[in-house]
Amino acid sequence: MEIVPQQPTQKGPDAWFTGDVWFDVLAAPPLPARLRVNAVHFAPGARTAWHRHANGQSLHVTEGVARVGTRDGLVVEVQPGQTLWTPPGEWHWHGAVPDRLMTHLAMWEAGAAAGTPETEWAEQVTDEQYRV
Ligand code: MN
């Protein structure tokens, strides 16, 4: 066994996020393990771009209030202690509400083979979709 060296906190890239987002990689063990866990910190109003995960994703809110939307126009808020599941292939976005910081644990699985895409990214979420 080994204690894994902690990676530096990373800034969420502008191509994938609106607003200030920082994340820590908590777990990304080598194949055959496919577990992926990030702690993601969103400034008020910050959110991901539209995207989908090949194997789905669980989002567990630890602080603040999350807002999550899907292509059918549904927007839900998720409270600390709640877990939201987005199934494989479902287009969605997630972020903070406009007036609160938000932190969630993002948990998903990498592809079965090295280099297999696990997340597909699309356009940014508009203010209308976010419903400021
Ligand atoms: Mn997601």
Side-chain angles (χ1 to χ4, degrees), residues 6-20:
Q6 187 168 359
Q7 300 182 28
T9 298
Q10 299 180 49
K11 178 82 169 67
D14 290 341
W16 296 351
F17 297 97
T18 296
D20 259 352

Side-chain angles (χ1 to χ4, degrees), residues 48 51-53 57 59 86 92-94 119 121:
T48 69
H51 64 284
R52 61 182 178 178
H53 306 284
Q57 183 177 58
L59 299 172
T86 61
H92 67 282
W93 56 267
H94 30 108
T119 302
W121 292 92

Side-chain angles (χ1 to χ4, degrees), residues 9 20-24 39-43 46 62-63 102-104:
T9 298
D20 259 352
V21 178
W22 294 84
F23 65 94
D24 287 309
V40 191
H41 310 275
F42 295 80
T62 58
E63 288 184 273
M102 188 276 284
T103 298
H104 66 43

